[in-house]
Structure formats: C-alpha cells, structure tokens
Amino acid sequence: MTDWHRLHPGAAITRWAMSAAQTRHYPGAARPMPDRVAYRFVNGWVQTGDLPCREALRGELPGRVVPCPAGPFDDLALALDGPDLDFSRFCHLPTLIARGFRCRIRGTGPARFRVATCGGVRLWLDGQAAGVFEPFTRNRPAHGAFSLELTGGPQDLVLRLEDLHERDTTCFFALVLEAGQGVAVALPEGQDSAAVERAAKVLGGLRTDRVAYGAGAALRLVADVPPETPLRLRVADLGPFGRGGMVAEPGAANTVEAVLTPERPEAVLAEADALPPGCLSLRVETRVGGARLERQLGTTVLRDGVPLTGDWPERQAQVRRRVAAAGGFEPSAALCMAAEGRAPELVARIVAAGLDTIEARFDCSDFTILPLLRLYRDHRQGLPEALQARMKTAFLTYRYWLDEPGNDVMWFWSENHVLCFHSAQLVAGQLFPDEVFPASGRSGAEQATLAEARLDRWFAAIAEDGLCEWNSAAYYPIDMLGLLTLHDMAPRFRDRAAKVLDRVLTMAALHTMGGVPAGSQGRCYEKELLAGPHTELGSVMAMALGGGFSPGYDRAAGLWALSAYRPPEGLAALAGPGAGQSLRAAYVQGHGAGGRLSLWKSDAAQLSTVRPHAPGSHGHQAQVLDVQLACHPLARLWINHPGEARVWGERRPSLLAGSHVMPAVAQDGPHALMVFDLRRDWTELRYSQLFAAREAFGAPAPVGGWLVFAGTVAVWCSTPVEVETAGLYRGALYRAAGETMGWCLVLRLPGENAQGFARRLAGLAPEFAAGRVELVTHEGTHLSLTAEGVFTRDGKEAPFAPLSVTPHLGWNGAPLAPWTGG
C-alpha cells in the first residue's frame, strides 16, 4: 500500500528515490584566460567569466537530448533541514555531476510548481518530458516554473539535477507546489514509505551529545527521535574536514558502525583522546530496504597542546622536531621530516601525492607547490632520483597564471591565491632559469622577471589597502606560505615579506584571546570557528606567543619552523592585557576600507566587530561580530544571519559562518549595536541568531531584558530570543524571528565582578523602533545605529576612524595612536 503525503501550496517535494551520481571530468578546451586581476581585493564572488569547462557546457546545451533517468534508484534523498535537496561540495577538478530522482504524484488537473536551482533541472511525467529549467548560474540561485497536467491517478515523476562543479559549488534543487487540486506525493512502489519516514525522523534528529569534546570524553551519537526498531548506522570519513590542498593520506579516515535501538537511542563512536584535535567530519549512513540514506554532521575535539617554551629559536626548534615526529601527511610536514632526517619513505609518499595534485592542476595545488619547491631546493638529495626528476617536470609544466593555457578550475583571483601563484612562479623560475616552461613558452628567467613585476603590484596593493581576508584563520596561514617562501627563497622580496608578516602577526595577536585566534574575519568557515586553538592560525600563534601547540595544522607552522623570519617584539602584550587593563584598537583592511575593524579587550574577554559598507546587501563569509573569552577555548559567541538551514552545509555563507543579509554594525569600546533588515526577496530565512556553546558558557542568566553569558558578556535583542531545544546545536543557538531586529552587546569591564556587572545591566534599557537601535551606556553616552549603518554618539554622527591600515591602539581609555611595535 502506497503512503501518500498531501502537498499543500508552499510545500516542497522532499522525499525522493535517487540514483547514483553520474560523475565525469569535464574540463573543456585548454586556453589562456583573461587576466582581469586588478590587485584591488574584495571579498565575495568574483566575476571570473566562463571558464573552459562552462564554455563547453554552454556549447552543449542548445538542442541537446537528455534521456529520462532510468535508475536504478537505489538511494534516498530526503530534505531534513528545509525544502532544498542539497548536494553542494568542493571539487578540485572541473566535474559534471548528474543525479536522477523519482517519486509518485497524483492530483487532478494542472499543478503549478516553482523550482530553484543553480544548475539544471529536467522533469518527466510518466516518461514524457514535462519541462526544462537550466540556468547554470554557478552558485547564484535561479527560479523557474513547471506546470504538470495530472490525471487524477498515480503517475511517475522523474527529475534530473545536473551541475558543473568548479571547486566550491552550491548544488541543490527545491520543487515547491504553487497551485493544484488534491496534489499528493509518495515514494515509488517497492519502497517502504513508513520505514523511510521512521528513518528520516531518526536522522533528522541525529546529533552528537556535545558541540565539543575534551580529554577523557566519549564521542557519542544521539537520536532525539528514537528508532522504533534497531537502526544500523555507518559513520564514514570520521576525520578532519578538508582544508584545501593536502591534509591527510588518502584512505586515512576512520569508519565506525553503530546500532541505535528504541531502548538505547545513542552510541559511542570513539574516545575523544583517540581522535585528532579540531573539527571532525561525520558522514552518517543507514539503509532502509536496501536504499541508502545519509546525513552530514560535524563535531569538535579539543585537546591541550604541547607547551612551547623559551625564546624564539627554542620555540622554532621545538615545532620543527614535533612536526617531524608527528608524521602528518602534508608537504610542510614532509619538509620538516626531511630537515630532521626522519621517515624518508613517508616523505617520498607525501611528495608523490603532492605531485599528483600539481600535475593534475587541482584547485589549491598552489598551496602544495610552495613547500615542495623548498624541499626540492634544500633536501632533494634524500629522495629517489626518479622522484626528483618527477618534481622538476611537475614544476616546469605547472600553470602559474591566467595567461598560460589551461582547462582547470584553479582559483587565481583572491589575494591569498594571487600571492601563492606569483611566489611559486618566481621561485620555480629562479630554480630553473635556463629551462623552458612549456605552459608559457618562457624560460625560467623570464618567468621570474614576470613574477617579480606581479609581486610588486601585490605588495603595493597590500601596503595601500591591507588584507581583505583580515583575521582569517583559514587564509592568514596561506598568506604566510607565500610570504615565508619569498622571505627565504627570493632575496629581492625578503624585507617586504617580513613587513607584511609583521603586520599579519600583529593583527592576529590583537585578536587572540586565551590562545585562540578569534575576532571578526574577512572570510570564515565553521570548521575554523568551532575548532578553538586547533586551526592553522592557532599553530602559528602558539609559535609566535608560546603556548599549546597541536601538530596536525602544520602548513604554515612547518614552513615557519625552517624560516629565517623572526616574529616582531611585543606580540604578547597585544594578545594578553594584564589584569585590570583594557586595550582598544581600530583600523581598516581591504580595498576601499572594506573592513573597518574595531576591537576592545581585557584580560578576560574581547569584542571584535567590522562595520559593513552596505548593510542589507548580499553577504559572503564575513564574521561581523565576534566575542572570545579567556575561560574556555570554545567560549566564542557571535551573531549572524544564516545562508542556509542545513547543519555543516557547504554554502557561502553557511548556517553559522557569515551572514546572508549583512547587518548594520557599530562598536563603541565594550558596547556593540547591530540591526538586521531581512526584507529581501533572495532569502527565505527570516531570523538572525546567536551562537554560544553550552560546554563553554553554560546556560545564560537573565538580567532584566539581557541574557548574560559566563557572567561576562550580555546580549539584548528587540525580538524575543528562543533557544533551540533539538538538533545538533540545541542549547547553543538562540534565534530571533522577524523581518527587522536590533541587538545590543555589552562586555564586563576590567575590575568589575559579576554582581557589579548585573547591577550595571539593570540600568541599561536599549530600545528599537523604525529600524534604529539605541543604547545609553552606564557613562551616559547615547549610542544609536540605523539599519542603513548610520552610527551616532550623543546625537552626532560618528564615522569610522582612523581610515588607516596601520592598527591604532589605546590602552585603558587613552586616545588611539599608531602601533609601531615593541
């Protein structure tokens, strides 16, 4: 008997049988690409034009005949977090992926559906073509319509989703009923619909029992909705999330099996002490009647790092030895192993795997090539002769810039990739000055000369504008790959590289609290936001400041462990103000002062914001308000508007990282104001949200209209805030539903105890009306912020200042002055 589900207008078809993905490499014809890089770097989508792969697809589209997918439809696709069926993923090579979907539908007369996708969708009804919508808009959702003529009896509906994956790709579809009489849907015959629904409820409510796990804890999977009968789960790829480039040996991830029962709807997957630190991926699979169903989750393992002590040469040597001993599968780790004379067979395997990505021109292979160039120069004698020859050939035949022919999807346009490509081109050209580089037809000497001119432009842009990917735990370390390479392998750029490295470390130290690099970020991902100190930038700052170092995040740290570059003096004072002291900073980063950064910190907490240029516009990956406390590595609090409802999704922005609709933000010392205006037709998520993990903060205490977290940070919202009580982030996400809302945030002052903070808050009464939030501080200062971003202090507009890329600092309320180091 078929279980039919009535579909009402506004509801999507969210239950499908699915065929296996048809995947094929789809490069198109190799050619040079227009070099539109103007060395004026901004965050967000860059108009690259059509790459060869997309040109090939557009050439194939007109008049093509696509047969109705015939299956087998052995998998299940269920929307668990909204109307979208999402298959977003990162592909290092141009890849065309198509999937078929099948369900049963019934109704009487015409039924009108709207469809959303970034790729291409085709429909067949009872085997007859019923519509085509193929915008192929690459990461920008497009909307179309289908009309189906329903006969009143059961009919077979088949859908085909296709998209071209050019590295990060938002791949999804939503098929939503707009109008129709008696429309109902069901899974195909042969599927046990009731069993599928039971499994969907279990997976939809599946979570880890904590956001983060410390020493001695067990990683436990829990079903908020217990299964009615025993349900077998397979947790695949239990290991670190990918970070672009090489981070793990192929096949190294764990696979764990577990069974959930009605009496015990939970299972221990592993002891946290046996897992690597940082953010880990959990891809959960189950089978229902032979059909596979899966869900992506993630969690965090926190571990005390190995203390780094002594002066800079001692800390540097400790890291070099520890990275070499840890045996990580990463080129910088291989470089440290070679320098220490360890594990030559492992070094050779890492080099060979790295060359695989370079020869195939994987996206992010520019990150991999830099430490391999250093390894070739300094330690190639320890490698087999055949591998040495392969390295040289790979370096000579690599594609170093847009003007060289290619049909890859390497990303050339962001400031970190620009630096890495130019650095690699320069160093490779210097290593082989008399050799011909086939992709360009130039000699190595000519390559080096051209790279120098390009690097001159990059350094000039950074000197003028700063870095648009400010404070990024993902991209500061990538910048360091290029800068350290230039410092140690390109004498002409040694001093300029050192100056930018000094600036990067200064800004990172300013935003480090309790050993965790935090703060607002130009680009962020959940896997760094939730990793605490276990990021590549965390490893770098442990080296710079002393503290707990965790091998495994070694890309920049491993290269720095062998570098002649020394960190600037005075970083420790920026990272940790003394008891009773406060530090304020303000400066800009990015072209056109795109990031206008404010910071206030004490020895216990820091508040960091960026004032957006265009509130209400499309956001990307910017973290615009961020709090970090010293009491716990995951005592990090932020407010955002999500770009999707799916946990651990791949979109930019995602659920937790970045804001889809950019808010207005302003900061005045330990006070911050935000206004969200979500009245945009390009978002369906009408709420903003606050994230604060219970493991770090505990439950907040209500004080008047404020929520006080850990007795140190207080948050007010003009709209009632509801804590999530189910799902992966239950007790950690606080959501404010509505179209417009104001937020206020206040930090405890140095020397102020929790009781005094509560008394001060009791006298603060923010107001929100007509898109404006207002707060009168305890000192009587009247702060006001509009949805358009107009910020006033005591009735006078307070434009952001200083508009300088040099951090301006003030201690204990003193006026801001340029930081000169020391």
Side-chain angles (χ1 to χ4, degrees):
M1 178 178 176
T2 303
D3 291 320
W4 291 93
H5 172 71
R6 181 69 181 269
L7 207 62
H8 298 283
I13 304 178
T14 59
R15 303 290 188 261
W16 301 82
M18 181 174 68
S19 66
Q22 296 177 329
T23 301
R24 59 178 168 138
H25 183 219
Y26 198 86
R31 61 161 174 80
M33 298 178 193
D35 183 359
R36 299 192 182 100
V37 176
Y39 300 84
R40 291 291 181 262
F41 300 111
V42 296
N43 286 330
W45 178 248
V46 176
Q47 295 299 325
T48 64
D50 283 349
L51 304 187
C53 55
R54 196 157 292 265
E55 285 181 345
L57 179 63
R58 295 200 191 285
E60 183 183 320
L61 289 177
R64 70 171 180 163
V65 176
V66 177
C68 178
F73 298 93
D74 292 335
D75 291 337
L76 293 166
L78 312 182
L80 301 174
D81 300 298
D84 297 352
L85 273 294
D86 197 293
F87 305 92
S88 302
R89 59 181 286 193
F90 193 105
C91 291
H92 292 278
L93 295 172
T95 307
L96 192 62
I97 302 177
R99 294 175 174 86
F101 303 84
R102 185 175 173 224
C103 72
R104 302 283 281 168
I105 188 169
R106 71 182 184 189
T108 303
R112 190 171 69 251
F113 288 83
R114 68 176 186 269
V115 63
T117 188
C118 300
V121 169
R122 289 173 177 252
L123 286 182
W124 290 262
L125 187 64
D126 287 335
Q128 300 299 309
V132 178
F133 181 62
E134 294 184 327
F136 287 107
T137 46
R138 190 180 181 186
N139 293 353
R140 290 182 291 107
H143 301 271
F146 291 112
S147 184
L148 304 178
E149 192 66 33
L150 303 181
T151 62
Q155 294 176 270
D156 193 53
L157 181 64
V158 175
L159 182 147
R160 183 178 188 269
L161 171 68
E162 183 179 37
D163 212 339
L164 179 59
H165 291 249
E166 306 174 46
R167 58 176 254 144
D168 55 298
T169 299
T170 298
C171 177
F172 79 101
F173 77 90
L175 191 64
V176 179
L177 179 68
E178 285 193 324
Q181 184 176 349
V183 179
V185 292
L187 287 170
E189 294 177 357
Q191 291 284 354
D192 187 340
S193 298
V196 169
E197 285 303 314
R198 290 194 297 268
K201 289 179 181 178
V202 175
L203 259 67
L206 202 62
R207 59 179 174 83
T208 54
D209 66 326
R210 304 183 189 184
V211 173
Y213 295 86
L219 172 55
R220 193 180 305 271
L221 203 59
V222 178
D224 285 338
V225 180
E228 295 183 14
T229 59
L231 184 68
R232 184 174 296 277
L233 303 177
R234 180 176 180 267
V235 182
D237 302 333
L238 177 54
F241 282 92
R243 300 194 297 275
M246 291 173 55
V247 294
E249 189 161 13
N254 297 322
T255 298
V256 180
E257 294 194 353
V259 177
L260 305 183
T261 67
E263 300 77 22
R264 189 170 179 79
E266 60 180 47
V268 173
L269 300 182
E271 298 298 323
D273 292 343
L275 296 170
C279 280
L280 306 182
S281 167
L282 294 83
R283 183 163 55 84
V284 184
E285 301 175 352
T286 191
R287 289 194 172 272
V288 182
R292 185 173 60 90
L293 179 62
E294 71 174 37
R295 185 167 203 208
Q296 175 70 55
L297 299 175
T299 195
T300 301
V301 171
L302 298 173
R303 187 166 299 138
D304 291 335
V306 178
L308 300 180
T309 59
D311 59 12
W312 169 247
E314 293 174 305
R315 298 199 303 273
Q316 189 180 36
Q318 290 169 41
V319 169
R320 183 171 63 249
R321 292 192 296 268
R322 294 192 183 283
V323 170
F329 201 81
E330 203 283 321
S332 290
L335 181 57
C336 289
M337 293 177 217
E340 292 289 306
R342 299 179 66 110
E345 293 182 357
L346 177 56
V347 170
R349 291 207 312 275
I350 295 171
V351 171
L355 294 177
D356 288 343
T357 71
I358 292 166
E359 292 160 346
R361 299 181 179 176
F362 273 38
D363 182 58
C364 298
S365 58
D366 51 316
F367 305 162
T368 299
I369 199 172
L370 292 170
L372 290 187
L373 287 165
R374 175 76 179 263
L375 194 152
Y376 182 88
R377 187 193 73 172
D378 295 348
H379 304 290
R380 67 178 179 272
Q381 295 80 4
L383 299 173
E385 290 186 3
L387 191 57
Q388 294 183 46
R390 185 184 169 195
M391 293 179 79
K392 179 179 177 181
T393 300
F395 297 153
L396 291 175
T397 57
Y398 191 59
R399 183 189 188 202
Y400 289 96
W401 197 238
L402 293 154
D403 61 337
E404 301 176 11
N407 54 2
D408 49 76
V409 291
M410 295 195 295
W411 193 259
F412 292 94
W413 296 271
S414 60
E415 70 188 2
N416 69 85
H417 282 285
V418 171
L419 171 63
C420 288
F421 275 111
H422 295 348
S423 300
Q425 182 184 26
L426 173 58
V427 170
Q430 290 177 341
L431 286 175
F432 310 106
D434 301 320
E435 301 277 357
V436 174
F437 285 62
S440 66
R442 292 185 283 261
S443 70
E446 291 171 327
Q447 287 281 73
T449 298
L450 185 54
E452 286 181 340
R454 289 168 172 167
L455 284 165
D456 282 336
R457 295 186 69 187
W458 189 90
F459 277 104
I462 301 309
E464 180 179 349
D465 292 337
L467 292 156
C468 75
E469 295 165 333
W470 71 88
N471 290 343
S472 177
Y475 294 113
Y476 266 5
I478 301 303
D479 293 334
M480 292 186 70
L481 286 181
L483 295 167
L484 290 167
T485 296
L486 294 175
H487 184 275
D488 295 327
M489 300 184 73
R492 178 170 174 247
F493 290 98
R494 181 185 180 98
D495 291 343
R496 292 166 84 180
K499 288 181 181 178
V500 178
L501 284 163
D502 286 353
R503 184 66 56 83
V504 164
L505 292 173
T506 295
M507 294 186 293
L510 277 170
H511 292 85
T512 294
M513 170 61 60
V516 178
S520 73
Q521 297 186 44
R523 292 180 67 191
C524 65
Y525 300 87
E526 290 172 28
K527 66 185 188 301
E528 277 85 23
L529 289 176
L530 295 174
H534 304 302
T535 63
E536 293 186 68
L537 189 56
S539 295
V540 164
M541 296 315 293
M543 289 182 70
L545 302 169
F549 177 81
S550 298
Y553 296 87
D554 307 326
R555 202 154 34 179
L559 204 57
W560 196 12
L562 292 162
S563 175
Y565 169 73
R566 299 173 64 97
E569 300 292 332
L571 296 182
L574 304 183
Q581 294 187 316
S582 66
L583 171 62
R584 189 165 58 101
Y587 55 101
V588 299
Q589 292 288 286
H591 181 58
R596 295 171 288 174
L597 283 65
S598 296
L599 171 74
W600 183 92
K601 69 193 301 185
S602 66
D603 64 329
Q606 70 176 21
L607 166 63
S608 173
T609 64
V610 62
R611 197 186 293 190
H613 262 309
S617 63
H618 274 277
H620 188 56
Q621 290 179 280
Q623 176 90 330
V624 296
L625 180 146
D626 187 276
V627 172
Q628 176 71 50
L629 307 189
C631 62
H632 190 283
L634 206 60
R636 189 170 194 169
L637 178 153
W638 66 86
I639 299 169
N640 75 311
H641 172 246
E644 62 176 324
R646 190 169 62 125
V647 297
W648 287 103
E650 293 282 343
R651 298 193 189 180
R652 304 186 183 187
S654 61
L655 173 67
L656 300 182
S659 285
H660 195 199
V661 178
M662 289 294 281
V665 184
Q667 180 176 348
D668 188 78
H671 309 90
L673 308 179
M674 302 180 79
V675 178
F676 286 89
D677 184 349
L678 306 179
R679 293 172 294 181
R680 303 293 183 270
D681 59 9
W682 37 265
T683 182
E684 296 180 352
L685 301 181
R686 297 289 195 265
Y687 57 85
S688 58
Q689 61 187 20
L690 177 150
F691 180 87
R694 285 285 174 98
E695 291 91 334
F697 289 97
V703 176
W706 299 84
L707 291 177
V708 182
F709 293 85
T712 303
V713 53
V715 182
W716 175 91
C717 186
S718 61
T719 298
V721 175
E722 301 291 336
V723 64
E724 291 289 291
T725 57
L728 183 62
Y729 296 125
R730 68 173 192 163
L733 268 178
Y734 300 77
R735 285 180 168 158
E739 293 190 328
T740 61
M741 64 217 48
W743 293 81
C744 293
L745 189 144
V746 179
L747 260 58
R748 197 170 85 193
L749 300 173
E752 186 178 40
N753 59 29
Q755 294 76 19
F757 186 39
R759 287 193 297 272
R760 179 160 63 93
L761 291 171
L764 302 182
E767 295 181 356
F768 180 75
R772 180 193 300 269
V773 64
E774 299 182 81
L775 172 69
V776 179
T777 74
H778 66 287
E779 296 173 324
T781 304
H782 186 175
L783 306 177
S784 171
L785 177 68
T786 70
E788 296 74 30
V790 177
F791 178 54
T792 62
R793 187 184 294 110
D794 290 332
K796 297 180 180 178
E797 186 171 349
F800 184 89
L803 295 177
S804 170
V805 298
T806 299
H808 282 54
L809 277 57
W811 293 89
N812 304 319
L816 297 176
W819 172 251
T820 56

